[in-house]
């Protein structure tokens, strides 16, 4: 390029374009560097090493760059120095000084962190970006002022500027300089007006090559650096492992000569052998195990395998050798490899040994826990299943009895006294089970309070005798923390192979027998018979029919009036669900209500009764109340409050006319959710009634705890009224308690005139029973109430 180009031209005009291009290229490099990130566990070490290596390389490049600036300065000193060139030279030098200063500071740091290294690299990349921009400006300025001789220098500098970043790592710093310099060189060549098209293409190819080299070489250097770091860490781990191995008193190295005599007995081997090192001289393995143990080793044992391996001069690995040291059973793990010299001759063994007694005992303990219940130490379900399968396989020749056991009222103990007491009861029960069976029988805990026993016997009577002995022993009181507790057990028995020859059949038969035992009153032993299976099939059939009865509308509600014993008026009614089966006709509630509770239909039936009874009661004249029984499942449902509120709103029945009856067992079987539900209903105006009062547990405490407005005397106290003085005393006590606590009282099951007269004499205000009315349909009750309101004498039979 000649001097024909005026010095006053704008050499810095390409800078705005270069800035935008530089920003875009830097963003691309940042994305690329992110994609090439090293594993997190190595990134810190790699970044610190890169920062240090980069500092040395960039310092040398800076020195070379300043030398190049000096060459430009002296070569162009004979020509006029425009301000733009001087400014560009000054800016480049300033960048080099900044690079040297920062590199020097980094190398002088005693300790650096990953965050400091990342900040340092980012700072240097920004400086290199400015350096590339200033070099671009300087080249554009000088190329316009250079003569042909000076152009050669500039072309050499351009090539050096493009090639220099190839040696720089990390790639972020390399590209920070390479991108603006590449753009500037392209502009400088184009601005010279002497560039040949092929020269420009070759320049672009060279630029592309340098960019590829930066990427490729950085990647390869990173990979090698990572491999070097990993190798160093691996070597350190190996050193630590060897050191740990040498310090571990239960592991040792051993070595023999060609005659299999131990060589260089270590102190560790002497320690685990509990013998002086001098006494461990002799042929291996007899010197360690003893000649008796070798001679008496059974074929196929690990000691026999060890001897055969040594005889065959073959390697062996992790052979667990049992031996007795000072009367204690120990276990060693031995590994050995034969040593062969350069001529192929056997020269001995070397290997490693470890005392794994602790591990072996731990494994035995884990194996025991895997097959035994952790609380009671009885066999668990897995071990019991294995034994049961084996017994079933041999049942044709050796019969046995399967006993299924379930503790009675254990849930009450667990819920009222806590899980710690419940666990203590289970442990005590397990001990009594062990003491009730023979050594060759097996007892197992299947889960919760369910147990099972396999009794090896062909005699049904013998199995029953053992079962009854278990019932008697479990029934004896337990004492925990000064408290006397008592629980019972129900047992079902199935005999093999008569009642089944597979585990599934026997478990089914024993479960059916257990179900019968619990149904017959608990604390009972029952042996399976075919009638139990038939009864269960009928029960399941009835359950299926009950599900269909809900959808088919076979259920209805009847009402038994509640009368005022003084005025003889009907003041309310109790809703009673009825089921009329299309084939079997009327089915008593006592038969299908327990089924509904078992199969989860009781809530649907309860909701049906609530809606039906409230809808009919809303049409009754006066303030007649409607009493509806709640099952334990319903009273424990947190949605019950919303359900009843919706029913009352839909039927427009005032809340104070609705009475919800619960029994004491409901409060025993449920917890705080039931209490919360009842209090919410009470606050809405619904009356809560305690049904069957006096037949449950802790009645008086529940009267104070729950919002009861009425108690009902159970029919069991009313039926013998006038004959049993105890019943009269109980009824008088209940009426007195209720009056004291401002509660109403209703007597159930009144069937005779005598009962009614005595109840009125005792001060009982309300009663219900067949003496007054049998359960009736809602329409019939509505007619009675209408007649009663009109003052008809026929509204209620005069019985008092």
């Amino acid at each position: 390029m000649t001097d024909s180009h005026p010095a006053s031209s704008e050499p810095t005009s390409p800078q705005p374009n270069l800035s935008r291009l530089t920003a875009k290229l830097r963003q691309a490099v940042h994305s690329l560097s992110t994609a090439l990130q090293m594993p997190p566990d190595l990134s810190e070490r790699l970044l610190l090493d890169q920062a240090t290596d980069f500092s040395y390389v960039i310092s040398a490049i800076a020195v070379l760059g300043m030398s190049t600036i000096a060459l430009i300065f002296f070569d162009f000193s004979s020509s006029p120095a425009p301000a733009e060139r001087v400014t560009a030279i000054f800016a480049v030098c300033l960048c080099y000084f900044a690079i040297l200063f920062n590199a020097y500071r980094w190398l002088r740091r005693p300790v650096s962190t990953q965050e400091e290294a990342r900040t340092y690299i980012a700072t240097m990349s920004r400086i290199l970006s400015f350096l590339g921009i200033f070099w671009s400006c300087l080249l554009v300025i000088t190329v316009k002022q250079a003569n042909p001789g000076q152009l050669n220098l500039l072309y050499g500098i351009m090539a050096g500027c493009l090639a220099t970043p190839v040696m720089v790592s990390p790639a972020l710093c390399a590209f920070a300089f390479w991108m603006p310099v590449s753009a500037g060189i392209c502009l400088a060549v184009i601005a010279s007006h002497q560039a040949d098209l092929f020269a420009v293409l070759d320049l672009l190819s060279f630029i592309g090559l340098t960019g590829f080299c930066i990427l490729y070489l950085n990647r390869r250097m990173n990979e090698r650096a990572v491999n070097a770091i990993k190798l160093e860490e691996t070597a350190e781990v190996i050193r630590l492992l060897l050191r740990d191995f040498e310090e571990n008193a239960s592991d040792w190295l051993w070595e023999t000569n060609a005659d299999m005599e131990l060589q260089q007995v270590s102190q560790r081997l002497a320690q685990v052998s509990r013998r002086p090192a001098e006494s461990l001289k002799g042929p291996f393995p007899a010197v360690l195990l003893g000649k008796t143990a070798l001679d008496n080793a059974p074929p196929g044992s690990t000691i026999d395998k060890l001897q055969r391996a040594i005889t065959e001069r073959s390697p062996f690995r992790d052979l667990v050798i049992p031996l007795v040291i000072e009367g204690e059973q120990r276990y060693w793990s031995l590994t050995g490899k034969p040593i062969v010299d350069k001529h192929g001759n056997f020269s001995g063994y070397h290997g490693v040994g470890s005392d794994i007694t602790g591990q072996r005992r731990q494994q035995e303990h884990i194996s025991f826990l895997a097959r035994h219940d952790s609380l009671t130490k009885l066999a668990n379900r897995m071990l019991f299943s294995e034994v049961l399968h084996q017994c079933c396989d041999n049942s044709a020749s050796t019969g046995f009895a399967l006993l299924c056991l379930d503790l009675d009222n254990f849930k009450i103990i667990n819920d009222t006294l806590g899980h710690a007491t419940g666990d203590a009861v289970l442990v005590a029960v397990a001990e009594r089970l062990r003491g009730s069976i023979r050594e060759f029988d097996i007892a197992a805990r299947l889960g919760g309070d369910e147990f099972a026993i396999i009794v090896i016997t062909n005699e049904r009577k013998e199995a029953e005798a053992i079962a009854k002995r278990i019932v008697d022993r479990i029934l004896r009181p337990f004492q925990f923390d000064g408290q006397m507790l008592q629980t019972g057990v129900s047992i079902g028995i199935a005999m093999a192979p008569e009642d089944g020859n597979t585990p599934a059949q026997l478990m089914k038969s024993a479960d059916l027998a257990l179900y019968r035992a619990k149904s017959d009153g608990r604390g009972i032993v029952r042996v399976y018979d075919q009638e139990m299976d038939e009864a269960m099939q009928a029960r399941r059939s009835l359950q299926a029919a009950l599900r269909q009865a809900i959808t088919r509308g076979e259920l209805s509600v009847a009402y038994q009036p509640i009368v005022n014993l003084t005025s003889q008026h009907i003041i309310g009614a109790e809703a009673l669900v009825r089921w009329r089966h299309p084939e079997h006709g009327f089915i008593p509630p006592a038969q299908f209500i327990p089924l509904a509770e078992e199969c989860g239909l009781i809530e649907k039936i309860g909701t049906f009764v609530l809606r039906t009874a409230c809808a009919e009661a809303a049409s009754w004249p006066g303030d007649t109340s409607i009493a509806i029984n709640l099952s334990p499942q319903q009273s424990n449902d947190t949605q019950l409050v919303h359900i009843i509120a919706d029913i009352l709103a839909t039927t427009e029945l005032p809340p104070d006319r609705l009475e919800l009856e619960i029994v004491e067992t409901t409060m025993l079987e449920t917890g705080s959710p039931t209490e919360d539900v009842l209090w919410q209903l009470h606050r809405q105006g619904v009356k809560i009634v305690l049904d069957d009062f006096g037949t449950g547990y802790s009645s008086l405490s529940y009267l104070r705890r729950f919002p009861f407005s009425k108690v009902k005397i159970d029919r069991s106290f009313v039926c013998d009224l006038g004959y049993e003085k105890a019943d009269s005393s109980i009824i008088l006590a209940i009426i007195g308690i209720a009056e004291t606590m401002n509660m109403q009282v209703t007597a159930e099951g009144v069937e005779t005139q005598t009962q009614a007269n005595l109840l009125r004499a005792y001060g009982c205000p309300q009663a219900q029973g067949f003496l007054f009315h049998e359960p009736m349909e809602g329409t019939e009750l509505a007619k009675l109430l209408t007649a009663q309101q009109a003052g008809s004498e026929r509204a209620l039979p005069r019985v008092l």
Side-chain angles (χ1 to χ4, degrees):
M1 182 166 295
T2 63
D3 293 336
S4 58
H5 301 283
S8 60
S9 61
E10 297 294 335
T12 58
S13 59
Q15 287 187 19
N17 293 331
L18 281 174
S19 298
R20 288 193 294 271
L21 180 62
T22 300
K24 293 180 180 179
L25 290 174
R26 288 184 63 188
Q27 185 177 3
V29 171
H30 178 72
S31 301
L32 181 62
S33 63
T34 302
L36 295 175
Q37 283 183 349
M38 294 297 107
D41 56 335
L42 302 179
S43 60
E44 181 176 4
R45 174 75 179 277
L46 179 62
L47 188 60
L48 292 173
D49 289 349
Q50 281 183 330
T52 301
D53 295 340
F54 167 75
S55 298
Y56 286 111
V57 173
I58 202 65
S59 298
I61 292 175
V63 173
L64 178 61
M66 296 182 71
S67 301
T68 304
I69 289 295
L71 293 177
I72 294 176
F73 179 80
F74 287 114
D75 196 14
F76 283 81
S77 61
S78 58
S79 60
E84 294 85 352
R85 187 175 71 196
V86 174
T87 301
I89 290 175
F90 178 77
V92 171
C93 290
L94 186 62
C95 289
Y96 280 131
F97 278 116
I99 289 172
L100 289 172
F101 175 74
N102 281 281
Y104 176 76
R105 286 186 59 193
W106 176 261
L107 294 174
R108 293 276 296 177
R109 285 176 179 267
V111 179
S112 300
T113 64
Q114 182 180 9
E115 188 60 33
E116 291 173 341
R118 189 177 289 110
T119 302
Y120 169 66
I121 294 297
T123 301
M124 295 295 274
S125 65
R126 287 193 289 271
I127 296 173
L128 288 171
S129 298
F130 284 112
L131 178 63
I133 293 172
F134 294 145
W135 260 117
S136 299
C137 296
L138 180 60
L139 290 174
V140 171
I141 294 169
T142 53
V143 80
K144 292 181 178 181
Q145 303 171 356
N147 56 41
Q150 292 170 332
L151 282 175
N152 292 330
L153 172 62
L154 295 179
Y155 290 152
I157 292 173
M158 291 179 188
C161 286
L162 288 174
T164 298
V166 175
M167 299 178 290
V168 175
S169 177
L172 178 63
C173 293
F175 277 109
F177 178 75
W178 176 84
M179 288 187 294
V181 159
S182 299
I185 289 175
C186 291
L187 292 175
V189 171
I190 295 172
S192 68
H193 299 297
Q194 296 183 3
D196 182 71
L197 175 62
F198 297 104
V200 172
L201 292 176
D202 185 65
L203 173 63
L204 294 175
S205 299
F206 184 68
I207 291 173
L209 175 63
T210 55
F212 169 77
C213 289
I214 291 173
L215 286 175
Y216 181 77
L217 292 179
N218 265 270
R219 179 180 176 184
R220 295 295 293 170
M221 285 189 291
N222 286 346
E223 289 177 352
R224 292 181 180 179
V226 168
N227 290 334
I229 293 173
K230 287 182 178 179
L231 183 62
E232 183 178 345
E233 291 181 349
T234 301
E236 180 64 22
V237 169
I238 292 174
R239 285 194 295 271
L240 291 175
L241 289 175
L242 288 176
R243 185 183 307 167
D244 181 69
F245 180 81
E246 292 174 354
E247 295 174 357
N248 192 336
S250 62
D251 301 291
W252 65 88
L253 298 174
W254 60 273
E255 185 176 357
T256 71
N257 56 20
D259 296 327
M260 291 303 298
E261 295 179 341
L262 279 179
Q263 303 292 305
Q264 299 177 351
V265 176
S266 66
Q267 188 63 30
R268 304 293 170 77
L269 177 55
Q271 289 176 358
V272 297
S273 301
R274 301 177 188 176
R275 293 162 58 185
E278 298 77 18
S279 66
L280 294 176
K281 301 293 184 180
F284 178 87
V287 67
L288 296 177
L289 307 182
K291 191 173 184 308
T292 303
L294 297 180
D295 295 339
N296 297 332
S301 65
T302 52
I303 295 179
D304 180 59
K305 292 178 181 178
L306 175 64
Q307 293 186 91
R308 283 192 284 108
I310 292 175
T311 302
E312 298 169 357
R313 300 296 189 255
S314 61
F316 53 90
R317 184 176 181 83
D318 298 329
L319 287 179
V320 178
I321 307 299
L323 69 165
V324 178
I325 299 178
E326 296 181 353
E328 180 185 0
Q329 181 70 57
R330 309 290 295 181
Y331 295 91
W332 287 0
S333 175
L334 297 178
T335 297
K337 183 179 180 180
I339 306 172
V340 180
D341 59 20
K342 61 182 179 180
H343 303 293
N345 298 321
F346 173 75
S347 58
Y349 268 89
H350 65 201
V352 63
S354 60
D355 189 329
I356 61 169
T357 304
Q359 300 175 22
R360 183 64 177 256
R361 290 172 181 169
Q362 186 177 17
Q363 289 174 357
E364 291 174 352
H365 181 63
I366 292 173
S367 177
F368 176 85
L369 292 180
R371 298 163 64 83
H372 292 77
D373 178 55
S374 58
L375 178 65
T376 63
K377 302 303 182 290
L378 295 177
N380 61 11
R381 185 180 293 273
M382 182 178 70
L383 177 57
F384 184 79
S385 178
E386 292 177 2
V387 176
L388 183 58
H389 276 80
Q390 293 173 3
C391 290
C392 287
D393 292 340
N394 301 323
S395 62
S397 56
T398 305
F400 65 95
L402 173 62
L403 280 62
C404 284
L405 301 80
D406 188 76
L407 297 183
D408 300 332
N409 300 322
F410 176 76
K411 186 177 187 302
I412 296 176
I413 295 176
N414 212 32
D415 293 345
T416 57
L417 300 179
H419 293 288
T421 302
D423 289 347
V425 170
L426 291 175
V427 172
V429 167
E431 288 298 324
R432 293 185 181 183
L433 288 180
R434 288 191 191 92
S436 302
I437 61 177
R438 300 159 301 184
E439 292 183 359
F440 47 83
D441 299 328
I442 179 172
R445 181 189 177 206
L446 304 184
D449 61 336
E450 298 177 7
F451 297 84
I453 299 175
I454 294 177
V455 177
I456 308 300
T457 180
N458 285 316
E459 298 295 331
R460 184 183 299 260
K461 291 184 178 180
E462 185 177 10
E464 288 186 79
I466 292 175
K468 289 178 181 178
R469 181 165 66 241
I470 292 172
V471 170
D472 293 339
R473 293 190 179 183
I474 298 299
L475 194 59
R476 296 173 187 171
F478 300 93
Q479 186 170 3
F480 299 105
D481 298 329
Q483 280 188 313
M484 297 297 291
L485 302 178
Q486 190 173 25
T487 185
V489 62
S490 301
I491 303 178
I493 303 176
M495 302 298 298
E498 304 97 282
D499 301 331
N501 54 12
T502 66
Q505 291 174 342
L506 284 171
M507 287 299 295
K508 176 184 174 183
S509 300
D511 282 337
L512 288 173
L514 175 61
Y515 180 84
R516 174 63 62 83
K518 296 173 70 174
S519 301
D520 289 348
R522 301 176 182 270
I524 296 174
V525 177
R526 288 290 180 265
V527 183
Y528 172 80
D529 59 47
Q530 187 62 34
E531 292 181 359
M532 294 180 182
D533 193 22
E534 295 172 357
M536 182 56 66
Q537 295 298 331
R539 188 177 185 85
R540 290 174 180 169
S541 176
L542 195 60
Q543 282 184 349
L546 182 58
R547 292 182 184 276
Q548 296 177 351
I550 298 175
T551 58
R552 292 178 178 178
E554 298 173 5
L555 298 179
S556 62
V557 179
Y559 305 90
Q560 184 171 41
I562 301 173
V563 301
N564 184 303
L565 289 176
T566 302
S567 65
Q568 305 181 33
H569 287 172
I570 298 174
I571 59 173
E574 181 178 359
L576 304 171
V577 65
R578 295 291 183 260
W579 178 21
R580 186 170 297 278
H581 194 279
E583 297 179 2
H584 304 294
F586 177 76
I587 298 178
Q591 186 174 350
F592 71 84
I593 290 298
L595 284 179
E597 291 177 344
E598 289 181 9
C599 62
L601 295 175
I602 192 64
E603 292 188 17
K604 288 185 178 181
I605 294 176
T607 303
F608 163 77
V609 174
L610 277 168
R611 291 190 182 276
T612 304
C614 288
E616 293 204 70
S619 64
W620 295 344
D623 57 354
T624 307
S625 63
I626 180 67
I628 302 173
N629 288 283
L630 287 183
S631 68
Q633 292 92 326
Q634 283 181 284
S635 58
N636 200 34
D637 184 5
T638 56
Q639 297 299 315
L640 180 64
V641 177
H642 303 291
I643 293 172
I644 292 178
D646 177 67
I647 292 174
L648 292 176
T650 303
T651 61
E652 299 182 357
L653 179 71
D656 59 352
R657 290 179 58 189
L658 175 61
E659 297 180 353
L660 297 177
E661 299 183 359
I662 64 171
V663 295
E664 290 184 63
T665 53
T666 296
M667 294 174 288
L668 288 173
E669 295 174 1
T670 55
S672 59
T674 299
E675 186 175 354
D676 296 339
V677 167
L678 295 181
W679 275 104
Q680 291 182 54
L681 291 170
H682 172 71
R683 285 190 286 268
Q684 291 182 8
V686 177
K687 296 178 181 178
I688 309 300
V689 178
L690 179 58
D691 196 10
D692 300 337
F693 181 72
T695 60
Y697 306 88
S698 305
S699 303
L700 296 179
S701 65
Y702 286 119
L703 285 178
R704 298 178 57 188
R705 177 177 167 187
F706 290 87
F708 294 118
S709 59
K710 179 192 289 189
V711 295
K712 299 186 76 173
I713 301 174
D714 186 67
R715 65 181 64 248
S716 62
F717 301 123
V718 176
C719 64
D720 292 328
L721 193 59
Y723 302 99
E724 292 289 340
K725 292 184 179 180
D727 289 340
S728 296
S729 300
I730 292 173
I731 291 174
L732 283 170
I734 293 173
I735 294 173
I737 292 171
E739 288 179 353
T740 302
M741 303 185 73
N742 196 27
M743 297 180 185
Q744 288 287 338
V745 179
T746 300
E748 295 181 303
V750 179
E751 298 181 355
T752 67
Q753 185 70 43
T754 302
Q755 294 169 354
N757 292 335
L758 285 173
L759 287 169
R760 185 178 62 172
Y762 293 160
C764 181
Q766 300 174 8
Q768 67 182 96
F770 289 165
L771 175 64
F772 310 111
H773 289 285
E774 294 185 1
M776 63 186 68
E777 294 184 358
T779 54
E780 185 179 353
L781 178 59
K783 291 178 181 179
L784 277 177
L785 292 172
T786 302
Q788 175 180 283
Q789 190 176 30
S792 173
E793 293 298 327
R794 294 175 297 174
L796 180 68
R798 185 175 296 275
V799 298
L800 302 180

